[in-house]
Amino acid sequence: MANQLLITKKGSGVLSVKVEDGKIAQIQAQPENEESLLGNIYVGKVRNIVKNINAAFVEYELGKMAYLSLESRVCPIHTDGVVSDGTRVLIGDEIIVQIEKEAVKTKPPTLSGALNFPGKYVVLIYGEKTVSISSKIKDFEKKQRIKELLQNNIDGDYGFIARTNSKDASEEKILNEIAFLKKQLEDIKKFGIHRTKFNCLYHAPAAYLCDIRDSYDSLLESIITDDDVIYEKITEFVKVYQPEDINKIRRWDENDGKLDAVYDVTKTLEHALMPKVWLKNGGYLIIQPTEALVSVDVNTGKAISKKRDVQKTFLKVNLEAATQIARQLRLRNLSGMILIDFIDMKSPEYNKQLMDRLKSEFAKDPVRTILVDMTKLGLIEVTRKKVRKSLYEQIKEIEV
């Protein structure tokens, strides 16, 4: 079935909903009149350096602090108000930094001096003169072709990451995007160094527009919205940044019913905020995010009723749970350290089947998800890259 991106208003916010093979795979929410900080570039002022964690705290807007690790090999660009020689960060420096991760719970936003300029096909990274290729591109010849093309276009202090969409893109499209991204970097280096503290040098597009840019092009059939204002913003964005997708934009026809009801958006959202998730075979999951980690407990529930071979039943429940856990992590945007307590199985072969299922399901997630290992206590450790806030935190910020 077709993959679609739905963008609709909900309460005081905007929902971006990815539908894959007819099912909602991901929901992101943001306040309608509040811009996302993720990806914004600022002139920040270094207020403190904490040596024991090798980090600086930088005021990027008046009264707003963020965390900058000093372990990176890339030293931030210093402005004209520099205190040091520009090769290290000192208290009082005014530096150009980018919001790399949003504030999560009690943690402040994370900054980076390695500025990222993402496009549909490539990401340009200031300070990293290397080329890397998306792990989702499996064709060796295509990887080599793309790598050579990008290496031949590094003529400054930057490098590239080839995104999955580059696999099917023409050389002309990639080169045009590279030129556009290089111009963004050059403008910030040329004019940003003369700006004063707390200036925002670059506003990242709204989160739902970033979802359009970041979607896997060959699978995305349509971009659908039921709101006139959002329709105009999407059209303007696509015309400038990816005109080849203009025919994918569609205004939802209310004669087909309400978009929310047709795609079960509200129902899916409500279930994604509940701790309990039922499995088809009678088992269930309990998903509990905490300050330090996310715990997932797998329970047999009704699945063992009148079953003779209990171990095979355990395997069946665990395999279905593995598929559902991968779906729920993405749907709820849960990240960081994740501990999963599956039902204990005696067979090493059954445990191998479980680990293989998890690996294959996590490989489908666009956000980097790593299956670490099984502990001596039988818990499975997983890490998922933190970028945006969890769905629960996003929904708290809008009135639904």
Side-chain angles (χ1 to χ4, degrees), residues 274-288 296-304 313 316-318 320-322 324-325 328 332 340-343:
M274 295 178 181
K276 194 171 191 177
V277 180
W278 282 99
L279 304 176
K280 291 180 180 179
N281 57 32
Y284 63 90
L285 312 175
I286 298 294
I287 303 174
Q288 295 179 312
V296 183
D297 189 31
V298 181
N299 296 277
T300 54
K302 305 171 186 177
I304 60 171
T313 302
K316 184 179 178 182
V317 174
N318 279 341
E320 186 182 336
Q324 187 61 240
I325 287 167
Q328 291 295 325
R332 299 168 186 239
I340 309 172
D341 187 7
F342 283 99
I343 303 163

PDB file of all heavy atoms in Angstrom, residues 274-288 296-304 313 316-318 320-322 324-325 328 332 340-343:
ATOM      1  N   MET A 274      -0.941   5.520  26.152  1.00  0.00           N
ATOM      2  CA  MET A 274      -1.266   4.585  27.229  1.00  0.00           C
ATOM      3  C   MET A 274      -0.091   3.659  27.502  1.00  0.00           C
ATOM      4  O   MET A 274       0.628   3.265  26.584  1.00  0.00           O
ATOM      5  CB  MET A 274      -2.484   3.737  26.842  1.00  0.00           C
ATOM      6  CG  MET A 274      -3.770   4.517  26.692  1.00  0.00           C
ATOM      7  SD  MET A 274      -5.129   3.417  26.161  1.00  0.00           S
ATOM      8  CE  MET A 274      -6.480   4.595  26.041  1.00  0.00           C
ATOM      9  N   PRO A 275       0.113   3.269  28.755  1.00  0.00           N
ATOM     10  CA  PRO A 275       1.235   2.377  29.065  1.00  0.00           C
ATOM     11  C   PRO A 275       1.029   0.944  28.590  1.00  0.00           C
ATOM     12  O   PRO A 275       1.995   0.237  28.308  1.00  0.00           O
ATOM     13  CB  PRO A 275       1.335   2.438  30.593  1.00  0.00           C
ATOM     14  CG  PRO A 275      -0.019   2.861  31.053  1.00  0.00           C
ATOM     15  CD  PRO A 275      -0.569   3.745  29.978  1.00  0.00           C
ATOM     16  N   LYS A 276      -0.237   0.514  28.473  1.00  0.00           N
ATOM     17  CA  LYS A 276      -0.521  -0.884  28.139  1.00  0.00           C
ATOM     18  C   LYS A 276      -0.840  -1.040  26.661  1.00  0.00           C
ATOM     19  O   LYS A 276      -1.648  -0.308  26.105  1.00  0.00           O
ATOM     20  CB  LYS A 276      -1.695  -1.385  28.979  1.00  0.00           C
ATOM     21  CG  LYS A 276      -1.871  -2.903  28.974  1.00  0.00           C
ATOM     22  CD  LYS A 276      -2.907  -3.301  30.017  1.00  0.00           C
ATOM     23  CE  LYS A 276      -2.948  -4.799  30.245  1.00  0.00           C
ATOM     24  NZ  LYS A 276      -3.894  -5.166  31.312  1.00  0.00           N
ATOM     25  N   VAL A 277      -0.187  -2.032  26.027  1.00  0.00           N
ATOM     26  CA  VAL A 277      -0.419  -2.329  24.609  1.00  0.00           C
ATOM     27  C   VAL A 277      -0.739  -3.812  24.488  1.00  0.00           C
ATOM     28  O   VAL A 277       0.091  -4.668  24.814  1.00  0.00           O
ATOM     29  CB  VAL A 277       0.825  -1.997  23.752  1.00  0.00           C
ATOM     30  CG1 VAL A 277       0.560  -2.326  22.287  1.00  0.00           C
ATOM     31  CG2 VAL A 277       1.234  -0.542  23.910  1.00  0.00           C
ATOM     32  N   TRP A 278      -1.938  -4.134  24.022  1.00  0.00           N
ATOM     33  CA  TRP A 278      -2.337  -5.531  23.859  1.00  0.00           C
ATOM     34  C   TRP A 278      -1.759  -6.112  22.568  1.00  0.00           C
ATOM     35  O   TRP A 278      -1.680  -5.444  21.546  1.00  0.00           O
ATOM     36  CB  TRP A 278      -3.860  -5.667  23.835  1.00  0.00           C
ATOM     37  CG  TRP A 278      -4.483  -5.582  25.197  1.00  0.00           C
ATOM     38  CD1 TRP A 278      -5.078  -4.500  25.767  1.00  0.00           C
ATOM     39  CD2 TRP A 278      -4.534  -6.627  26.175  1.00  0.00           C
ATOM     40  NE1 TRP A 278      -5.515  -4.795  27.032  1.00  0.00           N
ATOM     41  CE2 TRP A 278      -5.197  -6.105  27.312  1.00  0.00           C
ATOM     42  CE3 TRP A 278      -4.094  -7.950  26.202  1.00  0.00           C
ATOM     43  CZ2 TRP A 278      -5.419  -6.855  28.464  1.00  0.00           C
ATOM     44  CZ3 TRP A 278      -4.317  -8.710  27.340  1.00  0.00           C
ATOM     45  CH2 TRP A 278      -4.972  -8.165  28.453  1.00  0.00           C
ATOM     46  N   LEU A 279      -1.355  -7.384  22.637  1.00  0.00           N
ATOM     47  CA  LEU A 279      -0.898  -8.110  21.456  1.00  0.00           C
ATOM     48  C   LEU A 279      -2.034  -8.995  20.945  1.00  0.00           C
ATOM     49  O   LEU A 279      -2.907  -9.401  21.708  1.00  0.00           O
ATOM     50  CB  LEU A 279       0.320  -8.978  21.801  1.00  0.00           C
ATOM     51  CG  LEU A 279       1.517  -8.248  22.427  1.00  0.00           C
ATOM     52  CD1 LEU A 279       2.600  -9.247  22.815  1.00  0.00           C
ATOM     53  CD2 LEU A 279       2.072  -7.204  21.462  1.00  0.00           C
ATOM     54  N   LYS A 280      -1.997  -9.330  19.669  1.00  0.00           N
ATOM     55  CA  LYS A 280      -3.079 -10.124  19.079  1.00  0.00           C
ATOM     56  C   LYS A 280      -3.185 -11.514  19.697  1.00  0.00           C
ATOM     57  O   LYS A 280      -4.256 -12.108  19.742  1.00  0.00           O
ATOM     58  CB  LYS A 280      -2.866 -10.234  17.569  1.00  0.00           C
ATOM     59  CG  LYS A 280      -3.072  -8.927  16.823  1.00  0.00           C
ATOM     60  CD  LYS A 280      -2.850  -9.114  15.332  1.00  0.00           C
ATOM     61  CE  LYS A 280      -3.045  -7.798  14.578  1.00  0.00           C
ATOM     62  NZ  LYS A 280      -2.803  -7.950  13.129  1.00  0.00           N
ATOM     63  N   ASN A 281      -2.061 -12.054  20.167  1.00  0.00           N
ATOM     64  CA  ASN A 281      -2.074 -13.420  20.697  1.00  0.00           C
ATOM     65  C   ASN A 281      -2.493 -13.492  22.165  1.00  0.00           C
ATOM     66  O   ASN A 281      -2.433 -14.563  22.774  1.00  0.00           O
ATOM     67  CB  ASN A 281      -0.704 -14.085  20.504  1.00  0.00           C
ATOM     68  CG  ASN A 281       0.423 -13.291  21.142  1.00  0.00           C
ATOM     69  OD1 ASN A 281       0.242 -12.623  22.157  1.00  0.00           O
ATOM     70  ND2 ASN A 281       1.606 -13.344  20.546  1.00  0.00           N
ATOM     71  N   GLY A 282      -2.900 -12.353  22.748  1.00  0.00           N
ATOM     72  CA  GLY A 282      -3.360 -12.355  24.132  1.00  0.00           C
ATOM     73  C   GLY A 282      -2.359 -11.821  25.132  1.00  0.00           C
ATOM     74  O   GLY A 282      -2.706 -11.525  26.277  1.00  0.00           O
ATOM     75  N   GLY A 283      -1.096 -11.681  24.722  1.00  0.00           N
ATOM     76  CA  GLY A 283      -0.101 -11.075  25.601  1.00  0.00           C
ATOM     77  C   GLY A 283      -0.239  -9.560  25.596  1.00  0.00           C
ATOM     78  O   GLY A 283      -1.079  -8.996  24.884  1.00  0.00           O
ATOM     79  N   TYR A 284       0.609  -8.879  26.378  1.00  0.00           N
ATOM     80  CA  TYR A 284       0.566  -7.415  26.382  1.00  0.00           C
ATOM     81  C   TYR A 284       1.901  -6.835  26.823  1.00  0.00           C
ATOM     82  O   TYR A 284       2.731  -7.525  27.438  1.00  0.00           O
ATOM     83  CB  TYR A 284      -0.568  -6.897  27.272  1.00  0.00           C
ATOM     84  CG  TYR A 284      -0.460  -7.225  28.745  1.00  0.00           C
ATOM     85  CD1 TYR A 284       0.193  -6.368  29.630  1.00  0.00           C
ATOM     86  CD2 TYR A 284      -1.030  -8.398  29.265  1.00  0.00           C
ATOM     87  CE1 TYR A 284       0.288  -6.658  30.981  1.00  0.00           C
ATOM     88  CE2 TYR A 284      -0.933  -8.701  30.610  1.00  0.00           C
ATOM     89  CZ  TYR A 284      -0.279  -7.829  31.468  1.00  0.00           C
ATOM     90  OH  TYR A 284      -0.176  -8.125  32.813  1.00  0.00           O
ATOM     91  N   LEU A 285       2.096  -5.569  26.495  1.00  0.00           N
ATOM     92  CA  LEU A 285       3.297  -4.825  26.876  1.00  0.00           C
ATOM     93  C   LEU A 285       2.926  -3.765  27.902  1.00  0.00           C
ATOM     94  O   LEU A 285       1.821  -3.220  27.858  1.00  0.00           O
ATOM     95  CB  LEU A 285       3.918  -4.113  25.668  1.00  0.00           C
ATOM     96  CG  LEU A 285       4.133  -4.892  24.377  1.00  0.00           C
ATOM     97  CD1 LEU A 285       4.652  -3.938  23.287  1.00  0.00           C
ATOM     98  CD2 LEU A 285       5.103  -6.035  24.595  1.00  0.00           C
ATOM     99  N   ILE A 286       3.858  -3.472  28.799  1.00  0.00           N
ATOM    100  CA  ILE A 286       3.759  -2.303  29.669  1.00  0.00           C
ATOM    101  C   ILE A 286       4.971  -1.425  29.363  1.00  0.00           C
ATOM    102  O   ILE A 286       6.113  -1.835  29.576  1.00  0.00           O
ATOM    103  CB  ILE A 286       3.736  -2.684  31.168  1.00  0.00           C
ATOM    104  CG1 ILE A 286       2.517  -3.549  31.491  1.00  0.00           C
ATOM    105  CG2 ILE A 286       3.746  -1.412  32.028  1.00  0.00           C
ATOM    106  CD1 ILE A 286       1.183  -2.823  31.347  1.00  0.00           C
ATOM    107  N   ILE A 287       4.723  -0.224  28.828  1.00  0.00           N
ATOM    108  CA  ILE A 287       5.798   0.691  28.431  1.00  0.00           C
ATOM    109  C   ILE A 287       5.821   1.867  29.395  1.00  0.00           C
ATOM    110  O   ILE A 287       4.833   2.595  29.519  1.00  0.00           O
ATOM    111  CB  ILE A 287       5.575   1.186  26.990  1.00  0.00           C
ATOM    112  CG1 ILE A 287       5.473  -0.005  26.034  1.00  0.00           C
ATOM    113  CG2 ILE A 287       6.692   2.135  26.562  1.00  0.00           C
ATOM    114  CD1 ILE A 287       5.102   0.362  24.613  1.00  0.00           C
ATOM    115  N   GLN A 288       6.954   2.034  30.084  1.00  0.00           N
ATOM    116  CA  GLN A 288       7.046   3.068  31.115  1.00  0.00           C
ATOM    117  C   GLN A 288       8.315   3.903  30.947  1.00  0.00           C
ATOM    118  O   GLN A 288       9.402   3.480  31.336  1.00  0.00           O
ATOM    119  CB  GLN A 288       7.020   2.431  32.508  1.00  0.00           C
ATOM    120  CG  GLN A 288       5.694   1.745  32.828  1.00  0.00           C
ATOM    121  CD  GLN A 288       5.686   1.095  34.198  1.00  0.00           C
ATOM    122  OE1 GLN A 288       6.617   0.367  34.559  1.00  0.00           O
ATOM    123  NE2 GLN A 288       4.641   1.340  34.970  1.00  0.00           N
ATOM    124  N   VAL A 296      10.351  -1.663  29.199  1.00  0.00           N
ATOM    125  CA  VAL A 296       9.276  -2.360  28.490  1.00  0.00           C
ATOM    126  C   VAL A 296       9.171  -3.760  29.063  1.00  0.00           C
ATOM    127  O   VAL A 296      10.153  -4.511  29.079  1.00  0.00           O
ATOM    128  CB  VAL A 296       9.546  -2.437  26.971  1.00  0.00           C
ATOM    129  CG1 VAL A 296       8.368  -3.108  26.266  1.00  0.00           C
ATOM    130  CG2 VAL A 296       9.804  -1.052  26.387  1.00  0.00           C
ATOM    131  N   ASP A 297       8.003  -4.103  29.553  1.00  0.00           N
ATOM    132  CA  ASP A 297       7.775  -5.420  30.158  1.00  0.00           C
ATOM    133  C   ASP A 297       6.816  -6.212  29.284  1.00  0.00           C
ATOM    134  O   ASP A 297       5.742  -5.719  28.916  1.00  0.00           O
ATOM    135  CB  ASP A 297       7.185  -5.244  31.564  1.00  0.00           C
ATOM    136  CG  ASP A 297       7.122  -6.557  32.322  1.00  0.00           C
ATOM    137  OD1 ASP A 297       7.993  -7.417  32.082  1.00  0.00           O
ATOM    138  OD2 ASP A 297       6.198  -6.726  33.135  1.00  0.00           O
ATOM    139  N   VAL A 298       7.213  -7.434  28.927  1.00  0.00           N
ATOM    140  CA  VAL A 298       6.379  -8.299  28.092  1.00  0.00           C
ATOM    141  C   VAL A 298       5.700  -9.326  28.988  1.00  0.00           C
ATOM    142  O   VAL A 298       6.362 -10.011  29.772  1.00  0.00           O
ATOM    143  CB  VAL A 298       7.217  -9.008  27.012  1.00  0.00           C
ATOM    144  CG1 VAL A 298       6.321  -9.886  26.126  1.00  0.00           C
ATOM    145  CG2 VAL A 298       7.985  -7.997  26.167  1.00  0.00           C
ATOM    146  N   ASN A 299       4.382  -9.424  28.875  1.00  0.00           N
ATOM    147  CA  ASN A 299       3.609 -10.345  29.717  1.00  0.00           C
ATOM    148  C   ASN A 299       2.792 -11.302  28.859  1.00  0.00           C
ATOM    149  O   ASN A 299       2.298 -10.933  27.784  1.00  0.00           O
ATOM    150  CB  ASN A 299       2.658  -9.553  30.630  1.00  0.00           C
ATOM    151  CG  ASN A 299       3.419  -8.671  31.600  1.00  0.00           C
ATOM    152  OD1 ASN A 299       3.863  -9.109  32.643  1.00  0.00           O
ATOM    153  ND2 ASN A 299       3.584  -7.406  31.224  1.00  0.00           N
ATOM    154  N   THR A 300       2.590 -12.528  29.356  1.00  0.00           N
ATOM    155  CA  THR A 300       1.843 -13.539  28.597  1.00  0.00           C
ATOM    156  C   THR A 300       0.354 -13.243  28.565  1.00  0.00           C
ATOM    157  O   THR A 300      -0.334 -13.571  27.606  1.00  0.00           O
ATOM    158  CB  THR A 300       2.048 -14.934  29.208  1.00  0.00           C
ATOM    159  OG1 THR A 300       1.701 -14.882  30.602  1.00  0.00           O
ATOM    160  CG2 THR A 300       3.485 -15.383  29.052  1.00  0.00           C
ATOM    161  N   GLY A 301      -0.176 -12.610  29.619  1.00  0.00           N
ATOM    162  CA  GLY A 301      -1.607 -12.312  29.655  1.00  0.00           C
ATOM    163  C   GLY A 301      -2.452 -13.545  29.485  1.00  0.00           C
ATOM    164  O   GLY A 301      -2.317 -14.532  30.209  1.00  0.00           O
ATOM    165  N   LYS A 302      -3.298 -13.547  28.459  1.00  0.00           N
ATOM    166  CA  LYS A 302      -4.197 -14.670  28.203  1.00  0.00           C
ATOM    167  C   LYS A 302      -3.581 -15.701  27.261  1.00  0.00           C
ATOM    168  O   LYS A 302      -4.220 -16.695  26.919  1.00  0.00           O
ATOM    169  CB  LYS A 302      -5.497 -14.147  27.575  1.00  0.00           C
ATOM    170  CG  LYS A 302      -6.192 -13.080  28.396  1.00  0.00           C
ATOM    171  CD  LYS A 302      -7.333 -12.461  27.598  1.00  0.00           C
ATOM    172  CE  LYS A 302      -7.957 -11.288  28.346  1.00  0.00           C
ATOM    173  NZ  LYS A 302      -9.014 -10.627  27.545  1.00  0.00           N
ATOM    174  N   ALA A 303      -2.334 -15.480  26.837  1.00  0.00           N
ATOM    175  CA  ALA A 303      -1.755 -16.303  25.776  1.00  0.00           C
ATOM    176  C   ALA A 303      -1.477 -17.742  26.202  1.00  0.00           C
ATOM    177  O   ALA A 303      -1.411 -18.634  25.360  1.00  0.00           O
ATOM    178  CB  ALA A 303      -0.462 -15.664  25.263  1.00  0.00           C
ATOM    179  N   ILE A 304      -1.283 -18.017  27.508  1.00  0.00           N
ATOM    180  CA  ILE A 304      -0.906 -19.373  27.917  1.00  0.00           C
ATOM    181  C   ILE A 304      -2.103 -20.212  28.322  1.00  0.00           C
ATOM    182  O   ILE A 304      -1.962 -21.334  28.763  1.00  0.00           O
ATOM    183  CB  ILE A 304       0.109 -19.342  29.083  1.00  0.00           C
ATOM    184  CG1 ILE A 304      -0.491 -18.633  30.308  1.00  0.00           C
ATOM    185  CG2 ILE A 304       1.408 -18.702  28.672  1.00  0.00           C
ATOM    186  CD1 ILE A 304       0.356 -18.760  31.554  1.00  0.00           C
ATOM    187  N   THR A 313       4.806 -21.201  23.176  1.00  0.00           N
ATOM    188  CA  THR A 313       3.901 -20.065  23.380  1.00  0.00           C
ATOM    189  C   THR A 313       4.690 -18.831  23.774  1.00  0.00           C
ATOM    190  O   THR A 313       4.421 -17.734  23.283  1.00  0.00           O
ATOM    191  CB  THR A 313       2.866 -20.403  24.472  1.00  0.00           C
ATOM    192  OG1 THR A 313       2.146 -21.565  24.100  1.00  0.00           O
ATOM    193  CG2 THR A 313       1.897 -19.250  24.671  1.00  0.00           C
ATOM    194  N   LYS A 316       6.244 -17.418  20.681  1.00  0.00           N
ATOM    195  CA  LYS A 316       5.253 -16.740  19.856  1.00  0.00           C
ATOM    196  C   LYS A 316       4.919 -15.358  20.411  1.00  0.00           C
ATOM    197  O   LYS A 316       4.853 -14.373  19.663  1.00  0.00           O
ATOM    198  CB  LYS A 316       3.988 -17.602  19.784  1.00  0.00           C
ATOM    199  CG  LYS A 316       2.916 -17.043  18.866  1.00  0.00           C
ATOM    200  CD  LYS A 316       1.699 -17.966  18.832  1.00  0.00           C
ATOM    201  CE  LYS A 316       0.597 -17.381  17.946  1.00  0.00           C
ATOM    202  NZ  LYS A 316      -0.608 -18.245  17.930  1.00  0.00           N
ATOM    203  N   VAL A 317       4.725 -15.276  21.730  1.00  0.00           N
ATOM    204  CA  VAL A 317       4.422 -13.987  22.359  1.00  0.00           C
ATOM    205  C   VAL A 317       5.606 -13.036  22.209  1.00  0.00           C
ATOM    206  O   VAL A 317       5.439 -11.857  21.855  1.00  0.00           O
ATOM    207  CB  VAL A 317       4.056 -14.170  23.843  1.00  0.00           C
ATOM    208  CG1 VAL A 317       3.896 -12.812  24.533  1.00  0.00           C
ATOM    209  CG2 VAL A 317       2.777 -14.982  23.989  1.00  0.00           C
ATOM    210  N   ASN A 318       6.812 -13.530  22.464  1.00  0.00           N
ATOM    211  CA  ASN A 318       8.001 -12.682  22.393  1.00  0.00           C
ATOM    212  C   ASN A 318       8.243 -12.138  20.979  1.00  0.00           C
ATOM    213  O   ASN A 318       8.615 -10.975  20.801  1.00  0.00           O
ATOM    214  CB  ASN A 318       9.236 -13.446  22.858  1.00  0.00           C
ATOM    215  CG  ASN A 318       9.349 -13.498  24.371  1.00  0.00           C
ATOM    216  OD1 ASN A 318       8.736 -12.703  25.084  1.00  0.00           O
ATOM    217  ND2 ASN A 318      10.138 -14.437  24.884  1.00  0.00           N
ATOM    218  N   GLU A 320       6.006 -11.640  18.563  1.00  0.00           N
ATOM    219  CA  GLU A 320       5.018 -10.604  18.263  1.00  0.00           C
ATOM    220  C   GLU A 320       5.323  -9.336  19.055  1.00  0.00           C
ATOM    221  O   GLU A 320       5.190  -8.215  18.548  1.00  0.00           O
ATOM    222  CB  GLU A 320       3.599 -11.082  18.580  1.00  0.00           C
ATOM    223  CG  GLU A 320       2.557 -10.070  18.135  1.00  0.00           C
ATOM    224  CD  GLU A 320       1.126 -10.450  18.471  1.00  0.00           C
ATOM    225  OE1 GLU A 320       0.843 -11.645  18.638  1.00  0.00           O
ATOM    226  OE2 GLU A 320       0.276  -9.526  18.573  1.00  0.00           O
ATOM    227  N   ALA A 321       5.762  -9.529  20.309  1.00  0.00           N
ATOM    228  CA  ALA A 321       6.114  -8.379  21.149  1.00  0.00           C
ATOM    229  C   ALA A 321       7.279  -7.596  20.532  1.00  0.00           C
ATOM    230  O   ALA A 321       7.289  -6.366  20.548  1.00  0.00           O
ATOM    231  CB  ALA A 321       6.472  -8.840  22.554  1.00  0.00           C
ATOM    232  N   ALA A 322       8.270  -8.299  19.977  1.00  0.00           N
ATOM    233  CA  ALA A 322       9.434  -7.638  19.374  1.00  0.00           C
ATOM    234  C   ALA A 322       9.000  -6.718  18.230  1.00  0.00           C
ATOM    235  O   ALA A 322       9.450  -5.574  18.120  1.00  0.00           O
ATOM    236  CB  ALA A 322      10.425  -8.681  18.870  1.00  0.00           C
ATOM    237  N   GLN A 324       6.008  -5.405  17.794  1.00  0.00           N
ATOM    238  CA  GLN A 324       5.199  -4.316  18.336  1.00  0.00           C
ATOM    239  C   GLN A 324       6.061  -3.296  19.091  1.00  0.00           C
ATOM    240  O   GLN A 324       5.802  -2.089  19.030  1.00  0.00           O
ATOM    241  CB  GLN A 324       4.125  -4.876  19.265  1.00  0.00           C
ATOM    242  CG  GLN A 324       3.122  -3.866  19.766  1.00  0.00           C
ATOM    243  CD  GLN A 324       2.337  -3.210  18.659  1.00  0.00           C
ATOM    244  OE1 GLN A 324       2.362  -1.997  18.485  1.00  0.00           O
ATOM    245  NE2 GLN A 324       1.617  -4.007  17.882  1.00  0.00           N
ATOM    246  N   ILE A 325       7.093  -3.766  19.782  1.00  0.00           N
ATOM    247  CA  ILE A 325       7.974  -2.850  20.514  1.00  0.00           C
ATOM    248  C   ILE A 325       8.670  -1.902  19.540  1.00  0.00           C
ATOM    249  O   ILE A 325       8.749  -0.689  19.774  1.00  0.00           O
ATOM    250  CB  ILE A 325       9.004  -3.630  21.356  1.00  0.00           C
ATOM    251  CG1 ILE A 325       8.305  -4.269  22.569  1.00  0.00           C
ATOM    252  CG2 ILE A 325      10.143  -2.714  21.821  1.00  0.00           C
ATOM    253  CD1 ILE A 325       9.144  -5.309  23.282  1.00  0.00           C
ATOM    254  N   GLN A 328       6.192   0.634  18.524  1.00  0.00           N
ATOM    255  CA  GLN A 328       5.824   1.577  19.581  1.00  0.00           C
ATOM    256  C   GLN A 328       6.949   2.572  19.881  1.00  0.00           C
ATOM    257  O   GLN A 328       6.681   3.736  20.184  1.00  0.00           O
ATOM    258  CB  GLN A 328       5.443   0.820  20.862  1.00  0.00           C
ATOM    259  CG  GLN A 328       4.147   0.034  20.759  1.00  0.00           C
ATOM    260  CD  GLN A 328       2.936   0.935  20.577  1.00  0.00           C
ATOM    261  OE1 GLN A 328       2.865   2.038  21.112  1.00  0.00           O
ATOM    262  NE2 GLN A 328       1.958   0.463  19.800  1.00  0.00           N
ATOM    263  N   ARG A 332       5.877   6.396  19.492  1.00  0.00           N
ATOM    264  CA  ARG A 332       5.922   7.234  20.690  1.00  0.00           C
ATOM    265  C   ARG A 332       7.174   8.114  20.737  1.00  0.00           C
ATOM    266  O   ARG A 332       7.332   8.917  21.650  1.00  0.00           O
ATOM    267  CB  ARG A 332       5.875   6.355  21.945  1.00  0.00           C
ATOM    268  CG  ARG A 332       4.602   5.519  22.043  1.00  0.00           C
ATOM    269  CD  ARG A 332       4.700   4.453  23.118  1.00  0.00           C
ATOM    270  NE  ARG A 332       3.530   3.588  23.105  1.00  0.00           N
ATOM    271  CZ  ARG A 332       2.700   3.402  24.138  1.00  0.00           C
ATOM    272  NH1 ARG A 332       2.941   3.978  25.300  1.00  0.00           N
ATOM    273  NH2 ARG A 332       1.661   2.604  24.022  1.00  0.00           N
ATOM    274  N   ILE A 340      14.317  -4.001  27.860  1.00  0.00           N
ATOM    275  CA  ILE A 340      13.145  -4.819  27.554  1.00  0.00           C
ATOM    276  C   ILE A 340      13.222  -6.129  28.332  1.00  0.00           C
ATOM    277  O   ILE A 340      14.225  -6.855  28.234  1.00  0.00           O
ATOM    278  CB  ILE A 340      13.052  -5.114  26.050  1.00  0.00           C
ATOM    279  CG1 ILE A 340      13.162  -3.820  25.230  1.00  0.00           C
ATOM    280  CG2 ILE A 340      11.747  -5.835  25.733  1.00  0.00           C
ATOM    281  CD1 ILE A 340      13.282  -4.046  23.738  1.00  0.00           C
ATOM    282  N   ASP A 341      12.176  -6.402  29.074  1.00  0.00           N
ATOM    283  CA  ASP A 341      12.098  -7.648  29.841  1.00  0.00           C
ATOM    284  C   ASP A 341      11.134  -8.595  29.131  1.00  0.00           C
ATOM    285  O   ASP A 341       9.929  -8.560  29.345  1.00  0.00           O
ATOM    286  CB  ASP A 341      11.609  -7.349  31.266  1.00  0.00           C
ATOM    287  CG  ASP A 341      11.663  -8.577  32.164  1.00  0.00           C
ATOM    288  OD1 ASP A 341      12.198  -9.617  31.712  1.00  0.00           O
ATOM    289  OD2 ASP A 341      11.159  -8.508  33.296  1.00  0.00           O
ATOM    290  N   PHE A 342      11.692  -9.432  28.237  1.00  0.00           N
ATOM    291  CA  PHE A 342      10.878 -10.422  27.547  1.00  0.00           C
ATOM    292  C   PHE A 342      10.583 -11.592  28.491  1.00  0.00           C
ATOM    293  O   PHE A 342      11.188 -11.733  29.560  1.00  0.00           O
ATOM    294  CB  PHE A 342      11.602 -10.942  26.299  1.00  0.00           C
ATOM    295  CG  PHE A 342      11.579  -9.989  25.135  1.00  0.00           C
ATOM    296  CD1 PHE A 342      12.668  -9.179  24.854  1.00  0.00           C
ATOM    297  CD2 PHE A 342      10.465  -9.918  24.309  1.00  0.00           C
ATOM    298  CE1 PHE A 342      12.652  -8.305  23.770  1.00  0.00           C
ATOM    299  CE2 PHE A 342      10.435  -9.050  23.226  1.00  0.00           C
ATOM    300  CZ  PHE A 342      11.520  -8.246  22.958  1.00  0.00           C
ATOM    301  N   ILE A 343       9.676 -12.447  28.056  1.00  0.00           N
ATOM    302  CA  ILE A 343       9.381 -13.663  28.821  1.00  0.00           C
ATOM    303  C   ILE A 343      10.582 -14.596  28.705  1.00  0.00           C
ATOM    304  O   ILE A 343      11.103 -14.827  27.604  1.00  0.00           O
ATOM    305  CB  ILE A 343       8.111 -14.347  28.271  1.00  0.00           C
ATOM    306  CG1 ILE A 343       6.930 -13.372  28.307  1.00  0.00           C
ATOM    307  CG2 ILE A 343       7.777 -15.591  29.088  1.00  0.00           C
ATOM    308  CD1 ILE A 343       5.768 -13.789  27.438  1.00  0.00           C
TER     309      ILE A 343
END
